[in-house]
Amino acid sequence: MFDEESSEPLTNSDTNNATKFHPDDATYESRTRLDGTATFEQHYTRLRSHNDGIYTGKWADKAQLRDQDNNAVFDAIAGQLELSPFQKAIGRTEFGTLNLRDLSSPAGIDTPLVAIMVAAVVARRDGRGYHPARSPASNDDLFTALLSELGYTNGLVHSAFGKVQYRLDCSQ
């Protein structure tokens, strides 16, 4: 039932900073804007960034940008490893709790490797087996194929898996 005291949901923006689209933008002939942006696409991209809270004027929230980039890496890895939506949600949350700077090493532990190891720990809880100490024949094929394709050494994978598993197990 519609509540007369509240605003109509279709007319309100779902962001804090409402962006209004003008119907003439779709048919504007010169496709350039007077506010300094070259195209309407750039204009609305900038407004979306402001609405997301990433950009405030000329400055960017670097921590939020880094989190977005890291989440994109984890989402790509989760898709490649065919994690279930539940595993992906749990893995993304746990990946966000890790301090990637503490896990990194000069030997090559980087963000994609940490994302793969988080996915391995999360998938293992649901019975999907991957552990770097097991033989490739007894491990999950998607994990072994991805790790071999990315060229990580066995020692590096062992180290990363141990670090990630320890931190995730301690946080529970």
Side-chain angles (χ1 to χ4, degrees):
M1 172 161 262
F2 181 70
D3 182 12
E4 293 293 327
E5 298 297 317
S6 66
S7 58
E8 190 174 338
L10 296 177
T11 60
N12 287 342
S13 173
D14 59 350
T15 60
N16 294 335
N17 205 2
T19 299
K20 304 249 188 256
F21 294 94
H22 195 276
D24 290 339
D25 288 352
T27 58
Y28 194 71
E29 291 176 14
S30 72
R31 305 298 294 166
T32 57
R33 297 192 39 92
L34 299 177
D35 65 355
T37 54
T39 64
F40 283 98
E41 184 178 355
Q42 288 177 343
H43 173 71
Y44 286 117
T45 300
R46 192 183 87 215
L47 288 179
R48 186 193 65 201
S49 298
H50 286 294
N51 289 344
D52 290 343
I54 295 172
Y55 291 100
T56 55
K58 295 182 180 181
W59 304 103
D61 184 353
K62 301 235 186 234
Q64 192 169 1
L65 277 173
R66 187 173 44 254
D67 287 343
Q68 271 189 351
D69 290 343
N70 289 341
N71 284 335
V73 168
F74 183 80
D75 290 344
I77 297 292
Q80 188 80 13
L81 296 173
E82 298 178 4
L83 296 184
S84 70
F86 179 73
Q87 290 171 333
K88 183 178 174 182
I90 297 296
R92 198 171 199 220
T93 301
E94 293 197 358
F95 184 70
T97 64
L98 294 174
N99 185 346
L100 297 178
R101 185 173 292 160
D102 288 344
L103 289 169
S104 67
S105 71
I109 297 178
D110 55 1
T111 302
L113 182 58
V114 172
I116 294 168
M117 295 302 107
V118 168
V121 170
V122 169
R124 233 182 125 166
R125 293 176 189 161
D126 290 339
R128 192 168 158 202
Y130 176 80
H131 193 282
R134 293 185 353 195
S135 69
S138 61
N139 272 328
D140 187 280
D141 293 338
L142 293 173
F143 281 95
T144 55
L146 181 60
L147 287 168
S148 66
E149 182 181 319
L150 294 175
Y152 293 115
T153 64
N154 248 355
L156 185 64
V157 172
H158 279 278
S159 174
F161 186 83
K163 287 180 177 183
V164 168
Q165 186 175 30
Y166 175 75
R167 282 172 175 80
L168 293 182
D169 289 345
C170 288
S171 69
Q172 289 185 355

